Amino acid sequence: MLRQFHDIAINQLRVDPKTMAEAEVLARTKNVLLVHALIRLKAADSNKLLAAWAHCHKLQIADLDAMDIPADIIQLIQDQVARQARAIPIDRVGNNIIVAVENPHDLNTINLLQLKTGYSLKTVLASEEKIVKALARYYPQRGLELDKYTKSNATQLRNKPLESRLVIDESSSADDGPVNDLINRIMMVCLQRGASDIHVEPYENYMRVRLRIDGALQEIARPPAHMKAAMASRLKVMAGLKIEEKRLPQDGQISVTIEGRPIDFRINTLPTWHGEKVVLRILDKSSLQVDMTKLGFEADDLRRFKDSIHKPYGMVFVTGPTGSGKTTTLYSALAELNQVSDNIMTAEDPVEFTLDGINQVHIRAEFGLTFADALKAFLRQDPDIIMVGEVRDRETGEIAIKAALTGHMVLSTLHTNSAADTIVRLQNMGLESFNLISALQCVVAQRLARRICANCKILDTSIKPDYLVSLGVPRDVAATAKVHKGKGCELCGGTGMKGRVAIHEVMVMNDELRAAIMRTAPAMELKAIGMRHGMRTLRQNGLIKMLRGEMDALEVVSNTAADDEAEQSGYHAA
Ligand SMILES: [Zn+2]
């Protein structure tokens, strides 16, 4: 086989024999396949070399550049393992994963992958270069490096321990140097700790820097008062705002590159009594979770939600208060639906993330472009799928329904507490019940709760079975249930919580619900019908996550209070 390859390489691909000898040494000393050594030495066209090698060794080739590997395949191999084995999963057939590697016959790699994944392996050949590119594409490193603004001390920053509080030299001057350094450090800590917003606040005798982490603000620094003006000015320069304008609020955007990841911050300045307050909101595209399986839906709920959005036409609502993760769920639905054959249009206020292949329109009511206007324009643009940021009024609702009834899938949000409340709200808005039941496919109510910190998770022995029963846990389950909480540690800043977990309530339309909507039944009754048809309430889904050790009891209760009130008012679903 090797002989045959030699012949093809030298006689057909015109590899110089001297280069061949060099490649053989390289292959032996670097422990790589001869073909990769030849490619490294640019002995001939890399695709042809690879094809010849595959032919002689009866291997298949994976052209990783030309593939779009779905996330559920990628996650079959953990990123660490993928990087160690330099392997990219490309497909799954039954209990076999097909994996692209540099050496398909290397038993160490095959054993490692089988051990780590629990699957049998079928290996295919790929070039070193394409594997490196694919690793960077599918397993991006979540490192921390502010290269655009801190090239010189990037390494130093990366090696810094996780800071929960910034130490500031009180004698720092208001010159550019210390101010730049402080802003860089604040952005670093923001990323390290997974914060969503940075608040830079001026007070009379000091400044305060706070980060919003998992929904709650935490103070990380108190810079001296004399840095107030310089901090605001520097941030305004970075965002291209007018520095001399200090009396009016301004909006802008800052773009930095951190460890190869482009990070955008939306910035807003506001004149306060003691100076300009600046708020930055991180728009980290790589953190946008568009993979639906990672949204935290229970498996059956995800299936029902997916079935609904894949219907040829109709309306699907995702509802909840501000900060409940509605937008993320809608974006992941759009990503799921995003196919070349479909024209997808969105009207958003504002456009938070840009998605490839989707026409996104920024609603500007102040210039006379409302949700209703955008929707009307969309209908003249031959859409298949439409997302409306929010149905705020009857006009928008009516056009959305009309779009749904004329063969389009319409996704939208509302600020309501529950799935059943959403239907009542739409009726109260003045929408015709008959049109509503014809268009509506599904309503998902959502909350974003805080997850117990995995690093300091302990049993919560204060929770007694009787209390669990009062929350709605069946008595036999409650008797042996284990409930956890976070004790508080360095990693979670002492809060006992790290990360988020979404809770859902998925109400899919059925004939009984449609009949109830036609006779304008109250929300309680709609909820009861939904539950008879398999809907779990937010509370019930929260309890499932609590018993699985993802959330503590207080988080469940505080995020699903609406279901509690229903129980106390003597209402029983069964
Ligand atoms: Zn912790």
Side-chain angles (χ1 to χ4, degrees):
M1 289 186 290
L2 201 56
R3 198 63 269 148
Q4 194 193 355
F5 176 74
H6 264 249
D7 289 343
I8 298 177
I10 289 172
N11 298 324
Q12 295 180 19
L13 301 178
R14 304 280 167 219
V15 173
D16 171 31
K18 236 180 77 191
T19 313
M20 179 61 90
E22 216 179 306
E24 274 166 347
V25 173
L26 183 65
R28 220 173 311 126
T29 54
K30 297 282 175 192
N31 194 26
V32 297
L33 293 183
L34 179 61
V35 64
H36 296 312
L38 285 165
I39 293 173
R40 284 193 203 177
L41 294 173
K42 300 197 187 342
D45 176 65
S46 62
N47 289 328
K48 287 180 184 161
L49 282 167
L50 214 61
W53 185 268
H55 171 74
C56 297
H57 294 83
K58 306 207 172 353
L59 294 169
Q60 278 181 295
I61 298 183
D63 186 0
L64 293 171
D65 282 357
M67 291 179 177
D68 216 346
I69 306 166
D72 57 332
I73 299 294
I74 288 297
Q75 70 190 15
L76 293 171
I77 299 183
Q78 285 184 336
D79 56 349
Q80 249 180 321
V81 179
R83 244 173 279 159
Q84 193 188 340
R86 296 165 75 84
I88 307 288
I90 57 177
D91 205 350
R92 178 174 56 188
V93 182
N95 201 32
N96 288 285
I97 340 182
I98 301 172
V99 183
V101 288
E102 290 164 7
N103 183 355
H105 290 147
D106 179 35
L107 289 178
N108 285 333
T109 304
I110 295 172
N111 286 339
L112 171 77
L113 290 171
Q114 285 183 339
L115 199 73
K116 294 281 186 185
T117 61
Y119 282 88
S120 298
L121 236 61
K122 189 174 167 343
T123 47
V124 297
L125 178 68
S127 72
E128 290 177 308
E129 188 206 348
K130 286 182 182 174
I131 284 185
V132 169
K133 262 167 79 182
L135 282 172
R137 174 177 172 194
Y138 295 107
Y139 300 99
Q141 296 252 31
R142 301 202 128 251
L144 298 158
E145 186 185 332
L146 263 179
D147 54 5
K148 188 164 173 188
Y149 292 101
T150 59
K151 271 219 164 69
S152 54
N153 56 0
T155 330
Q156 194 192 328
L157 274 170
R158 199 173 351 145
N159 296 335
K160 262 189 168 186
L162 224 151
E163 289 180 277
S164 56
R165 219 188 142 77
L166 290 174
V167 182
I168 292 162
D169 179 2
E170 285 293 320
S171 63
S172 286
S173 68
D175 294 342
D176 282 357
V179 169
N180 286 356
D181 177 59
L182 180 57
I183 289 172
N184 290 337
R185 283 160 63 205
I186 292 168
M187 287 181 171
M188 285 294 295
V189 175
C190 169
L191 289 166
Q192 279 184 329
R193 304 205 46 203
S196 58
D197 303 79
I198 303 172
H199 292 236
V200 181
E201 304 162 306
Y203 293 97
E204 187 174 5
N205 298 317
Y206 64 97
M207 293 180 72
R208 182 162 71 167
V209 178
R210 293 191 289 172
L211 298 181
R212 188 173 293 282
I213 299 168
D214 298 334
L217 284 170
Q218 290 180 25
E219 181 180 312
I220 60 151
R222 283 206 179 193
H226 66 257
M227 289 175 95
K228 283 195 280 200
M231 288 277 286
S233 295
R234 178 65 197 146
L235 287 164
K236 281 155 80 177
V237 168
M238 287 169 79
L241 301 177
K242 294 187 201 123
I243 314 176
E244 56 292 352
E245 178 55 83
K246 292 178 177 147
R247 296 154 307 167
L248 294 173
Q250 294 188 69
D251 289 304
Q253 191 149 329
I254 294 177
S255 301
V256 289
T257 305
I258 295 164
E259 181 112 312
R261 275 199 290 165
I263 309 266
D264 293 341
F265 290 94
R266 195 162 68 216
I267 175 172
N268 172 266
T269 68
L270 181 73
T272 68
W273 186 250
H274 293 297
E276 284 179 289
K277 166 168 175 159
V278 184
V279 176
L280 297 112
R281 152 71 54 95
I282 189 165
L283 303 168
D284 176 4
K285 289 181 185 126
S286 65
S287 75
L288 173 65
Q289 192 59 270
V290 291
D291 177 359
M292 295 191 83
T293 62
K294 293 187 183 149
L295 291 173
F297 276 98
E298 297 300 319
D300 54 343
D301 281 340
L302 179 62
R303 185 177 43 73
R304 284 188 283 198
F305 179 51
K306 266 181 150 177
D307 285 350
S308 304
I309 60 170
H310 279 287
K311 289 261 161 60
Y313 71 92
M315 286 180 99
V316 172
F317 279 98
V318 179
T319 76
T322 307
S324 58
K326 303 186 291 275
T327 317
T328 304
T329 302
L330 278 186
Y331 275 127
S332 64
L334 289 177
E336 160 100 12
L337 293 168
N338 191 6
Q339 286 174 354
V340 188
S341 55
D342 285 337
N343 177 12
I344 304 184
M345 315 206 64
T346 75
E348 303 169 63
D349 182 17
V351 172
E352 285 192 35
F353 293 96
T354 52
L355 293 172
D356 234 21
I358 292 179
N359 307 288
Q360 296 173 278
V361 174
H362 183 166
I363 294 304
R364 302 296 291 267
E366 70 270 33
F367 301 138
L369 179 63
T370 64
F371 279 117
D373 297 327
L375 262 179
K376 279 186 233 165
F378 285 0
L379 290 174
R380 293 189 291 269
Q381 292 248 328
D382 184 30
D384 296 290
I385 295 153
I386 295 170
M387 177 180 122
V388 195
E390 196 185 333
V391 171
R392 286 182 192 161
D393 52 57
R394 176 177 177 167
E395 189 188 11
T396 312
E398 277 174 350
I399 308 168
I401 285 185
K402 186 178 148 211
L405 292 178
T406 49
H408 307 97
M409 175 50 67
V410 181
L411 308 174
S412 191
T413 73
L414 265 177
H415 283 260
T416 49
N417 281 326
S418 71
D421 284 346
T422 306
I423 294 170
V424 174
R425 171 75 61 84
L426 290 167
Q427 288 177 313
N428 289 345
M429 227 178 247
L431 300 176
E432 294 286 344
S433 295
F434 181 75
N435 288 334
L436 198 55
I437 62 165
S438 314
L440 205 58
Q441 299 283 6
C442 168
V443 183
V444 176
Q446 181 167 333
R447 296 288 185 280
L448 209 46
R450 296 196 290 171
R451 187 185 287 278
I452 300 176
C453 169
N455 190 51
C456 60
K457 185 157 108 175
I458 53 166
L459 268 183
D460 187 349
T461 47
S462 70
I463 306 279
K464 303 293 178 229
D466 280 346
Y467 178 64
L468 293 178
V469 170
S470 77
L471 295 182
V473 176
R475 190 162 285 283
D476 54 326
V477 177
T480 57
K482 288 192 170 44
V483 178
H484 293 81
K485 66 175 179 185
K487 197 164 149 253
C489 68
E490 191 67 15
L491 279 185
C492 55
T495 58
M497 314 271 199
K498 190 137 177 52
R500 305 285 204 113
V501 53
I503 318 170
H504 302 96
E505 176 179 276
V506 181
M507 180 184 263
V508 180
M509 284 301 114
N510 57 53
D511 287 342
E512 201 182 339
L513 270 173
R514 289 188 192 99
I517 295 170
M518 276 312 286
R519 60 170 193 272
T520 54
M524 287 290 188
E525 194 182 335
L526 300 177
K527 176 177 173 180
I529 296 171
M531 290 174 76
R532 274 209 297 283
H533 289 268
M535 177 184 91
R536 272 191 308 272
T537 60
L538 285 165
R539 167 66 56 85
Q540 289 172 328
N541 265 326
L543 291 172
I544 289 175
K545 289 185 156 75
M546 177 189 77
L547 295 175
R548 219 189 274 138
E550 294 175 33
M551 294 169 64
D552 69 23
L554 185 62
E555 238 355 67
V556 176
V557 174
S558 58
N559 278 287
T560 62
D563 288 325
D564 202 31
E565 285 153 22
E567 304 298 331
Q568 282 174 1
S569 66
Y571 161 76
H572 288 286

